[in-house]
Amino acid sequence: MTSAVSEAIDGVRDVLSRAGDSVVVGGKPGPSATGEVIDTLDPATGEVVASIAAGTAADVDRAVAAATRGLRSWQELSAAARARVLYDIAALIEEHAEQLATLETLDNGKPLTESIFLDVGIAAEVWRYYAGWCTKISGQTLPVSPPVGSSFTYTRREALGVVGLIVPWNFPLLITSWKLAPALAAGNSVVLKPSEMTSLSALRLMELIDEAGMPPGVVNMVTGYGPDAGQALIEHPDVAKISFTGSTATGQRIVAASAASLKKLTLELGGKSANIVFPDADLENAAQGALTGIFLNQGQVCCAGSRLYVHRSVHDDMLAALESAARGIELGHGLADGTEMGPLISAAQRDRVEGYLQAGTEQGATLVCGGERPGGELAAGSFLTPAVFSGVRDDMRIAREEIFGPVLSVFAFDDESEVVGRANGSDFGLAAGVWTSDIKRAHRVAHQLQAGTVWINQYNMLDPAAPFGGYKASGYGRDLGEESLLGFTQTKSVWVSLD
Ligand code: NDP
């Protein structure tokens, strides 16, 4: 480990020393009811960096009870006062950006520059965006025509109550912010369940939320394993909604558990996104977009452009450019200078990805480069070199299933309608990319693609104002934008007799 990495870790030691008190109920951090802990590993070294509380159903019960009490104090504040708290959280995130980014990189493995600009930077903007919404949630007056007499009728957008937020490990602080900020702006109280692999930034965020003056009990957190703490949250009868990002299998479990209490759900369940390069595209930009589209965050991105469709006339040149760029990507500890790609989240995730590399080769695709475990000082971490497959058929497992790792499948296509059909021939529908200089084709194809987000001549762009979510098996409901906010409200019609 270089001295820069050790120094960065030393800089967050005080936060790591508080990790055992990661169950936050009614504003008070503490251990889990059982006193059990879960080790948190640095995926770049495999070393234990902290131990977080292993919360269970008993902790979730306490957290939901605190959130039920906290709801009142939050809703008694004026909209402007609630907005001020959210603005202050945004400012505190920016003030502690380096510390939060260091925790994120240590926990998840991604390069520090990504943590600073993408995770922490956008998280602060998300809080600011939803702070603005607090004073703008409004209903309508309705021109009703009752059969007798007359009425004045209007709608109110009301909070749902206590909501449960279940967050994965790929963008811990960012996705926590995507869900928490709109839930609070809409007047709800919250129980947050981060991934047990990446709870450190959420732990620090809880402290900053307290510092911003959030009334106790409005935001509660139970860290712990999904099947324990997560399952208790999705089954809890007093939780009105679950907003979840993660695997399709867990999403299906949440749908089943929600039936008993008819919880409202927002589910973001990943994808197998098609990135399409037409021959009239700026090919240098398209190659760069294809690389960041798949290799950002080690490919552990729900909207990763994992299926790259390249027009046959430019396919070989594009493949050569991708291979050369992929081979040049610098792997290393996320806290080390010059690192362009960190480790995967865990050894288990690397095993999963390697299973797909094997399946791809066995089914006849050509592994052009990558997919190897680097040696030397990286051998102890869960690193995998960026992989590119060519000669992939649409029916192969690597073309159909979400790999969630640095593995790009490249396909050749001949014409527009063919590629649109192939892009849409997926169970998923989260995102897609189109690279072309023909403005008519760009919009025509974007309109035909079955995906919640389509990027034209760019990839992986996100903004707090733009809704994000999936078609088909990629889930339902939306994160971000006004839609996310409205998803944390319910509409009430109020009728007043004027007779
Ligand atoms: P999961 O869906 O299991 O994890 C996502 C979140 O759900 C975590 O906070 C997890 O907790 C929680 N969880 C797990 N089981 C339950 C449950 N029974 N009830 C409630 N919450 C639960 O994903 P994995 O970590 O297992 O990753 C496997 C695959 O899922 C990846 O390879 C990828 O394909 C996909 N995935 C997609 C993501 C996306 O952004 N769409 C994000 C993460 C994964 P804990 O981690 O503490 O167990």
Side-chain angles (χ1 to χ4, degrees):
M1 195 183 286
T2 66
S3 59
V5 174
S6 321
E7 263 172 47
I9 297 175
D10 284 343
V12 294
R13 284 244 185 258
D14 62 324
V15 182
L16 301 180
S17 69
R18 300 194 289 275
D21 288 337
S22 58
V23 170
V24 183
V25 173
K28 293 197 180 66
S32 68
T34 62
E36 299 282 313
V37 296
I38 301 169
D39 285 341
T40 258
L41 307 182
D42 174 352
T45 61
E47 286 170 16
V48 176
V49 293
S51 299
I52 58 155
T56 59
D59 301 295
V60 169
D61 281 346
R62 288 193 297 131
V64 173
T68 307
R69 292 190 296 275
L71 194 57
R72 186 128 178 232
S73 49
W74 187 231
Q75 292 182 349
E76 275 172 2
L77 290 182
S78 69
R82 289 202 297 267
R84 277 196 293 276
V85 177
L86 268 53
Y87 279 122
D88 286 351
I89 294 170
L92 284 166
I93 288 174
E94 275 175 348
E95 202 180 302
H96 297 88
E98 199 177 323
Q99 183 192 48
L100 285 163
T102 303
L103 289 168
E104 205 72 314
T105 289
L106 189 57
D107 227 358
N108 165 283
K110 64 181 77 187
L112 187 65
T113 43
E114 275 177 33
S115 294
I116 291 175
F117 294 109
L118 209 157
D119 298 72
V120 180
I122 302 182
E125 290 306 335
V126 167
W127 282 95
R128 204 164 276 130
Y129 171 80
Y130 284 109
W133 267 112
C134 291
T135 51
K136 295 161 197 74
I137 300 171
S138 54
Q140 295 173 306
T141 55
L142 304 169
V144 294
S145 309
V148 285
S150 56
S151 294
F152 169 53
T153 306
Y154 61 93
T155 60
R156 283 167 53 79
R157 282 273 179 187
E158 297 185 349
L160 297 172
V162 177
V163 298
L165 311 179
I166 301 181
V167 173
W169 41 261
N170 54 343
F171 294 95
L173 180 73
L174 186 58
I175 297 182
T176 296
S177 301
W178 284 15
K179 296 182 185 301
L180 193 46
L184 293 171
N188 300 279
S189 62
V190 167
V191 178
L192 168 69
K193 211 300 279 174
S195 166
E196 100 278 351
M197 285 187 277
T198 54
S199 296
L200 297 177
S201 57
L203 175 87
R204 186 68 185 115
L205 179 66
M206 292 299 289
E207 295 174 350
L208 299 177
I209 286 173
D210 184 52
E211 200 177 323
M214 182 66 73
V218 179
V219 185
N220 306 274
M221 175 166 87
V222 181
T223 54
Y225 291 112
D228 300 333
Q231 190 72 27
L233 191 57
I234 65 180
E235 287 175 356
H236 203 291
D238 297 337
V239 172
K241 168 170 179 156
I242 296 286
S243 177
F244 168 79
T245 298
S247 65
T248 307
T250 303
Q252 286 163 335
R253 223 168 279 136
I254 291 173
V255 172
S258 71
S261 56
L262 289 172
K263 283 184 182 37
K264 293 171 177 57
L265 300 177
T266 292
L267 302 174
E268 202 269 87
L269 306 177
K272 192 73 198 172
S273 299
N275 201 1
I276 305 170
V277 182
F278 287 98
D280 57 9
D282 176 331
L283 295 178
E284 215 173 296
N285 279 349
Q288 193 50 50
L291 289 164
T292 53
I294 184 64
F295 295 137
L296 179 79
N297 204 25
Q298 297 77 248
Q300 302 163 131
V301 180
C302 46
C303 54
S306 50
R307 292 186 294 149
L308 183 69
Y309 287 93
V310 185
H311 191 267
R312 199 173 300 280
S313 63
V314 292
H315 172 274
D316 292 355
D317 288 348
M318 177 68 79
L319 189 61
L322 293 170
E323 178 189 352
S324 145
R327 285 187 190 278
I329 291 174
E330 187 74 32
L331 266 63
H333 195 295
L335 294 172
D337 287 341
T339 293
E340 292 172 321
M341 186 185 277
L344 299 193
I345 185 67
S346 64
Q349 184 66 11
R350 181 174 60 179
D351 289 346
R352 252 187 108 246
V353 174
E354 284 175 335
Y356 280 107
L357 291 168
Q358 196 182 337
T361 313
E362 279 170 8
Q363 290 191 304
T366 304
L367 184 59
V368 176
C369 64
E372 291 146 357
R373 297 183 179 199
E377 62 179 20
L378 302 188
S382 42
F383 290 91
L384 199 60
T385 58
V388 178
F389 272 112
S390 68
V392 187
R393 287 194 322 272
D394 294 325
D395 63 345
M396 291 180 180
R397 281 186 63 207
I398 58 168
R400 288 186 291 107
E401 298 176 21
E402 183 174 50
I403 299 177
F404 228 61
V407 182
L408 179 66
S409 294
V410 184
F411 309 73
F413 74 90
D414 293 297
D415 71 62
E416 185 182 307
S417 63
E418 169 214 335
V419 77
V420 168
R422 291 171 69 188
N424 287 340
S426 165
D427 294 339
F428 295 105
L430 188 59
V434 182
W435 298 84
T436 177
S437 55
D438 178 341
I439 192 168
K440 292 180 192 164
R441 166 142 65 195
H443 290 286
R444 189 168 61 231
V445 172
H447 295 186
Q448 291 175 75
L449 287 169
Q450 295 164 357
T453 295
V454 178
W455 290 292
I456 298 170
N457 295 329
Q458 55 182 359
Y459 206 88
N460 274 343
M461 297 300 287
L462 289 171
D463 187 276
F468 183 81
Y471 283 27
K472 302 192 279 185
S474 291
Y476 42 76
R478 291 291 179 269
D479 284 312
L480 298 177
E482 185 180 0
E483 271 198 70
S484 171
L485 181 90
L486 297 181
F488 284 108
T489 66
Q490 49 199 340
T491 306
K492 177 182 283 175
S493 295
V494 180
W495 290 70
V496 186
S497 167
L498 297 182
D499 298 322

